Amino acid sequence: MDYQSIINDISDEVSSLLRAGKVADYIPALAGVNPEQFAMTLTLFDGTQYSVGQADTLFSIQSISKVFSFTLALKLYRKELYKRMGVEPSGNPFNSLVQLEKEQGKPRNPFINAGAINVADALISHYGDEERAFREVLEFIQDVSDDKTIESNKVVASSEMEHGYRNLALANFMKSFNNLDNSPQKAVETYSKYCSVEMNTKMLSRAMLYLANDGIDPITGRVYITESQSKRINAVMLTCGHYDASGDFAFNVGLPGKSGVGGGIVAVVPKLMGIAVFSPGLNLQGNSLVGTKALELFTTKTKLSIF
Ligand code: GLU
């Protein structure tokens, strides 16, 4: 298949939509990002990459980091992790408080904010301190991307923290229901630090290869997680990766994927490739508008949806 001309066509087709979305502005450090950007990269199992647009531009991965932190927590805690959180789609916005109260402080899944903050808490407990938990997630991201230059942006992390009232509220709720070991402040700080990791679509699509290949990096041969854990993470990405638009994404794109409010989306084509797209304008559910459209066009043109 001529992947390069397919993604070039996609880039042309989405160009008229670049102003249709709205950049996330509730984290002030992200509000100034130019909305008229687009990038898409495919990484195959032999490392071959096909890119279009600003594929070298770094952006804030935000909730895409939840895939990596969940992987690490699942590896460490195995099934015990599900005592803290479920794996059901939430059908609610990413930072909703209502459901968490109704369900006694047990987040629906690891990809809504409450679940991801709870994952950060589990990592802090395992590693013994906040800084170490953050470093382990960062190193894991560097490992699966095979790129040691990847770092977190301190300005974005503290901007997120300064305005993180909702995330702190979620953490406090969980603490009040005895579903958080450490202080709400520590859990949210650690989570915010790895949400603020910056990557480009080349790095992110490369980082998805272990999930496309049953937990094993097809290039280095490193085994990160078991086949069964990889299967579960892909399933949660498919059903919960786009908050209350997860059904739409499964319907229109048909791949396991995860979005972030920085405008990135990662997706996995099992046994074949990792994909990343970037375009900062978001739709109403906080997912990249053009990124979602580009992935929809991709599975339509290539027939690579899992369905
Ligand atoms: N760090 C963001 C927050 O907690 C992540 C949201 C997202 O990317 O969907 O609000």
Side-chain angles (χ1 to χ4, degrees), residues 26-27 62-63 66 94 113 160 167 191 195 243 259-262:
Y26 73 99
I27 301 172
Q62 292 297 314
S63 283
K66 293 171 182 171
F94 65 98
N113 282 12
E160 178 164 340
N167 284 339
Y191 159 82
C195 280
Y243 311 118
S259 67
V261 291

Side-chain angles (χ1 to χ4, degrees), residues 23-261:
V23 170
D25 55 7
Y26 73 99
I27 301 172
L30 294 181
V33 173
N34 170 15
E36 289 192 52
Q37 301 185 75
F38 175 70
M40 180 166 193
T41 301
L42 318 176
T43 303
L44 306 187
F45 278 19
D46 64 358
T48 307
Q49 293 196 312
Y50 299 91
S51 292
V52 66
Q54 288 113 305
D56 291 306
T57 301
L58 297 174
F59 57 90
S60 199
I61 68 169
Q62 292 297 314
S63 283
I64 296 172
S65 65
K66 293 171 182 171
V67 175
F68 306 118
S69 56
F70 177 45
T71 302
L72 213 49
L74 192 58
K75 186 183 165 84
L76 298 169
Y77 284 84
R78 300 163 193 249
K79 287 186 184 141
E80 283 288 295
L81 190 67
Y82 303 125
K83 289 190 178 152
R84 295 168 159 262
M85 66 198 67
V87 288
E88 274 298 322
S90 68
N92 269 308
F94 65 98
N95 55 6
S96 169
L97 287 153
V98 184
Q99 198 168 51
L100 191 60
E101 174 155 45
K102 264 198 354 229
E103 298 181 0
Q104 280 81 47
K106 188 173 178 184
R108 276 281 174 105
N109 66 67
F111 291 160
I112 49 171
N113 282 12
I117 293 165
N118 199 299
V119 162
D121 178 64
L123 294 175
I124 298 170
S125 296
H126 178 85
Y127 290 116
D129 80 84
E130 197 189 341
E131 186 53 30
R132 168 106 194 269
F134 161 67
R135 298 249 38 116
E136 293 284 344
V137 175
L138 180 65
E139 275 167 30
F140 181 74
I141 293 174
Q142 293 174 339
D143 285 347
V144 292
S145 311
D146 202 16
D147 191 329
K148 291 283 171 202
T149 66
I150 296 169
E151 277 302 336
S152 170
N153 183 323
K154 292 197 173 65
V155 176
V156 176
S158 48
S159 178
E160 178 164 340
M161 213 42 220
E162 271 166 38
H163 299 266
Y165 303 113
R166 240 170 204 276
N167 284 339
L168 282 167
L170 293 168
N172 275 293
F173 252 8
M174 290 189 284
K175 187 79 181 168
S176 77
F177 285 108
N178 286 324
N179 192 21
L180 205 77
D181 306 332
N182 302 284
S183 79
Q185 180 81 15
K186 277 191 184 174
V188 176
E189 252 167 31
T190 306
Y191 159 82
S192 300
K193 279 197 209 161
Y194 52 71
C195 280
S196 305
V197 164
E198 295 185 326
M199 295 168 76
N200 58 35
T201 54
K202 288 182 180 168
M203 295 163 170
L204 276 170
S205 59
R206 161 72 180 91
M208 285 299 106
L209 291 185
Y210 77 100
L211 289 173
N213 191 41
D214 299 332
I216 303 168
D217 188 316
I219 300 177
T220 62
R222 288 180 74 173
V223 181
Y224 289 114
I225 42 173
T226 65
E227 184 180 342
S228 155
Q229 288 167 338
S230 175
K231 182 178 74 179
R232 308 261 182 240
I233 297 166
N234 275 286
V236 183
M237 285 169 79
L238 182 79
T239 54
C240 310
H242 285 75
Y243 311 118
D244 41 341
S246 296
D248 275 349
F249 190 83
F251 186 84
N252 292 310
V253 177
L255 292 174
K258 181 75 201 84
S259 67
V261 291

